[in-house]
Amino acid sequence: MKKLLYILSHRSVFVALSLVAQIGALFFLLSFFSESDAAFYWSCIALSIVSSLLILGSRMEPAYKIAWLLLVLPFPVFGGFFYFLIGGNHISTRLRRKMQGIAQKTKVALIDDFKAEDLLPLGEDAAGQARYLEEYAYAPAYTNTEAEYFPLGELAFEKILEELRKAKRYIFLEYFILEPGKMWDSMLAVLEEKAAQGVEVRLIYDDMGCMFTLPRDYNQQMADRGIQCQVFNRFMPVVTLRFNNRDHRKLLIIDGEVGFTGGINLADEYINARERFGHWKDSAIWLEGDAVWSMTVMFLTMWEFCSGWEEEYSRFKPKPAPVRPWTGYVQPYTDTPLDFEAVGQTVYLNLISRARKYIYITSPYLVIDTATSTALCNAAKAGVDVRIITPHIPDKRYVFEVTRAHYPPLLEAGVRIYEYTPGFIHAKNFVVDGRFATVGTVNLDYRSLFLHFEDGVWLCEAPCIEDIRKDFEATMQQSEPVNLRKFRRLSPLVQLYRNVLRLFAPLM
């Protein structure tokens, strides 16, 4: 009974009931007035026509346009209203200007570190990728930065605790999901201890990501423990396009000297302390050295965006890192939906287009846009060894079906696909020719590529690239190859079901 009362009193239940009530009321009002008032009916039709023209003229992905048109055109009375409520990526002018101002501060803070042309001795293929991130994401490429790759969340967790205990000036955390348990409770104990010692501790979490894991007042609970806390895009039980943009980044920065990112959120399944969907295969990357300053600025820009504070970034800049032997190039980057630059997608496309020998990819979802699918197919047709590992045990059944719906064109082109049979693979990694790699938060789906705030680390000639390759090959040995003939033997109903899901995948 207590468990039932807890569930019924949880804010997610209130939010769900509120949204259902609003959608039901909207349908009722639209139906009632459209039937009883001809002027209202034709106004709805006009709104749907206008929304259709806006969709056609927008800069959205073609598949996204098609999905919305298939919802708007058959239902002209309701379609236009719903598109204007939750469709597309309609960002207000105020938000865009705010983000542009913060982006300019980022550029000013980091421009002295821009060195993409230094990569020319490694080839234009290397310099071109670095140049793109500097010019369009204000993300410098750094040497003098040690990088270590962690093939499992539990291994990264040990390193995280070790580094947290060393903090002297500040600790910054930005995560999509927090959940009390072994992982977060252990970290929180260290954070409280450090805050009591005078270390500045700041935390950002996404309210949608923590809808089912944290109470609404958790930010105040953190403040009571001496931890400054901001909630990204506080979820309101109102049908609105604000649902679309979430903070999916995972950043942990200590003193501007050490940084972590990757697929790992701060919950027990990510370190296999709790079993969900079989064995949870994730990854992370640890940086120490000059490149961590770029990650620090990433966090500070989001803090400024959430809090409205005017930050003086320079006061957080660490002393110059000790000179190291050759470490390759390390380039942390971030992607924002508040502009028209799909940085995460372009990083992936640049890696695919530079491949000459192989492309190894791990991703929890394979809900890819036309450009990425075409690039992968063309690479395989040109003789590049393209391999992708996805989960065999899904976390979301409908996304799993959409992922499988994207298999046939890739398999027909010669892409080899494997499903990780022990459980769920959450790592988002690319490794190309043993020269380039990226580890980060960007899923191969529309939300990550076009609607969410994301981050990653691009690597060139870094020693840890070999570790990423070895991890892929070891994971492949635990995975089941996908057979194209099996998919061709599926019943027409299953194929139709997957095709319909694929059609509406951009909206999921």
Side-chain angles (χ1 to χ4, degrees):
M1 181 60 70
K2 288 183 179 179
K3 187 174 183 181
L4 178 61
L5 290 174
Y6 171 79
I7 293 172
L8 291 176
S9 63
H10 197 277
R11 66 170 174 146
S12 60
V13 175
F14 170 74
V15 168
L17 292 174
S18 176
L19 294 178
V20 169
Q22 290 174 64
I23 293 170
L26 182 60
F27 268 103
F28 173 78
L29 291 173
L30 289 175
S31 299
F32 177 79
F33 284 109
S34 62
E35 291 174 3
S36 61
D37 189 329
F40 183 83
Y41 173 81
W42 288 109
S43 296
C44 291
I45 299 296
L47 185 62
S48 291
I49 292 172
V50 170
S51 64
S52 298
L53 293 174
L54 289 174
I55 292 168
L56 289 170
S58 72
R59 297 171 65 173
M60 293 187 292
E61 285 294 303
Y64 201 79
K65 294 182 182 183
I66 292 170
W68 266 111
L69 289 172
L70 286 173
L71 287 180
V72 172
L73 295 178
F75 308 102
V77 175
F78 309 107
F81 274 96
F82 272 97
Y83 177 72
F84 278 100
L85 281 173
I86 63 173
N89 191 21
H90 311 307
I91 307 298
S92 70
T93 302
R94 182 186 66 83
L95 278 182
R96 288 195 188 280
R97 286 177 178 170
K98 182 178 179 181
M99 182 52 72
Q100 286 169 0
I102 293 173
Q104 189 59 36
K105 283 187 68 175
T106 302
K107 185 177 181 180
V108 170
L110 296 174
I111 195 167
D112 290 342
D113 295 341
F114 285 10
K115 59 178 72 173
E117 301 310 312
D118 291 357
L119 277 77
L120 282 171
L122 302 179
E124 177 57 36
D125 56 346
Q129 294 181 73
R131 191 182 300 122
Y132 167 78
L133 284 171
E134 286 190 349
E135 292 183 4
Y136 291 93
Y138 306 140
Y142 293 88
T143 53
N144 199 40
T145 302
E146 186 179 350
E148 183 177 355
Y149 172 76
F150 293 93
L152 289 172
E154 46 266 46
L155 299 178
F157 178 48
E158 293 175 9
K159 185 72 170 179
I160 286 171
L161 289 177
E162 176 188 330
E163 296 292 355
L164 285 175
R165 294 187 182 105
K166 299 176 185 176
K168 295 181 176 63
R169 295 178 57 207
Y170 58 84
I171 300 171
F172 296 157
L173 304 98
E174 180 181 343
Y175 282 88
F176 183 60
I177 296 174
L178 301 180
E179 184 174 13
K182 176 183 176 181
M183 185 180 194
W184 176 236
D185 292 351
S186 300
M187 293 176 62
L188 185 56
V190 180
L191 296 177
E192 287 187 74
E193 179 184 335
K194 287 296 177 179
Q197 294 171 2
V199 174
E200 185 172 354
V201 182
R202 296 189 186 186
L203 168 66
I204 301 172
Y205 66 86
D206 184 89
D207 202 38
M208 175 77 87
C210 297
M211 173 66 66
F212 298 98
T213 62
L214 298 180
R216 183 175 174 82
D217 66 344
Y218 197 71
N219 58 323
Q220 184 57 51
Q221 293 184 29
M222 292 295 97
D224 294 341
R225 299 181 185 212
I227 297 170
Q228 301 174 51
C229 186
Q230 294 292 329
V231 183
F232 179 84
N233 202 356
R234 174 70 81 178
F235 189 88
M236 302 298 291
V238 179
V239 179
T240 170
L241 56 84
R242 291 179 70 249
F243 292 167
N244 281 338
N245 306 126
R246 310 310 313 178
D247 183 2
H248 194 245
R249 307 196 309 187
K250 290 100 177 164
L251 291 171
L252 171 57
I253 299 130
I254 301 163
D255 295 340
E257 298 172 354
V258 168
F260 292 85
T261 191
I264 300 168
N265 283 297
L266 306 184
D268 283 356
E269 61 266 31
Y270 294 87
I271 60 171
N272 287 293
R274 178 175 64 143
E275 184 173 324
R276 291 188 71 201
F277 321 116
H279 182 264
W280 193 286
K281 176 75 171 73
D282 219 323
S283 66
I285 191 166
W286 166 87
L287 304 182
E288 184 178 51
D290 293 347
V292 181
W293 170 234
S294 179
M295 298 176 78
T296 308
V297 173
M298 285 181 200
F299 176 89
L300 290 171
T301 60
M302 184 61 82
W303 185 270
E304 187 169 330
F305 182 76
C306 293
S307 68
W309 299 1
E310 284 288 332
E311 289 285 2
E312 182 58 49
Y313 297 172
S314 60
R315 79 180 183 92
F316 297 98
K317 191 163 187 177
K319 296 177 181 178
V323 177
R324 293 171 167 80
W326 170 249
T327 60
Y329 283 90
V330 177
Q331 195 165 16
Y333 62 90
T334 187
D335 193 5
T336 167
L338 302 186
D339 57 21
F340 294 107
E341 191 62 39
V343 172
Q345 180 197 40
T346 305
V347 168
Y348 287 164
L349 291 174
N350 283 343
L351 285 166
I352 295 167
S353 66
R354 266 60 172 196
R356 296 296 177 266
K357 298 176 182 178
Y358 68 82
I359 305 167
Y360 294 163
I361 301 168
T362 56
S363 179
Y365 315 117
L366 196 60
V367 187
I368 49 178
D369 59 288
T370 302
T372 305
S373 179
T374 301
L376 289 168
C377 289
N378 287 344
K381 290 174 182 178
V384 177
D385 181 8
V386 183
R387 305 186 191 190
I388 305 172
I389 302 177
T390 62
H392 186 70
I393 299 176
D395 67 333
K396 304 176 186 71
R397 188 72 206 185
Y398 72 91
V399 179
F400 184 62
E401 294 296 333
V402 178
T403 290
R404 286 184 159 185
H406 283 78
Y407 287 173
L410 296 167
L411 293 169
E412 289 168 0
V415 176
R416 289 193 271 180
I417 300 174
Y418 302 81
E419 289 184 351
Y420 179 65
T421 51
F424 185 69
I425 189 163
H426 192 252
K428 309 102 166 41
N429 302 337
F430 273 56
V431 59
V432 172
D433 293 350
R435 297 187 62 215
F436 308 118
T438 185
V439 178
T441 70
V442 187
N443 292 317
L444 281 170
D445 65 14
Y446 286 84
R447 290 204 159 273
S448 269
L449 294 174
F450 306 115
L451 296 177
H452 288 171
F453 291 81
E454 304 281 358
D455 80 273
V457 176
W458 179 81
L459 302 158
C460 174
E461 305 284 358
C464 71
I465 292 174
E466 178 65 10
D467 297 327
I468 302 171
R469 182 192 65 80
K470 288 179 179 178
D471 179 43
F472 181 93
E473 292 180 348
T475 305
M476 192 175 65
Q477 297 303 314
Q478 298 177 278
S479 304
E480 177 183 296
V482 176
N483 191 314
L484 178 59
R485 286 178 294 179
K486 177 182 175 182
F487 279 81
R488 286 175 173 165
R489 291 196 301 266
L490 292 173
S491 72
L493 283 178
V494 172
Q495 293 186 42
L496 177 62
Y497 170 65
R498 287 182 177 174
N499 287 337
V500 171
L501 286 179
R502 182 178 177 182
L503 190 61
F504 290 102
L507 307 183
M508 295 178 181

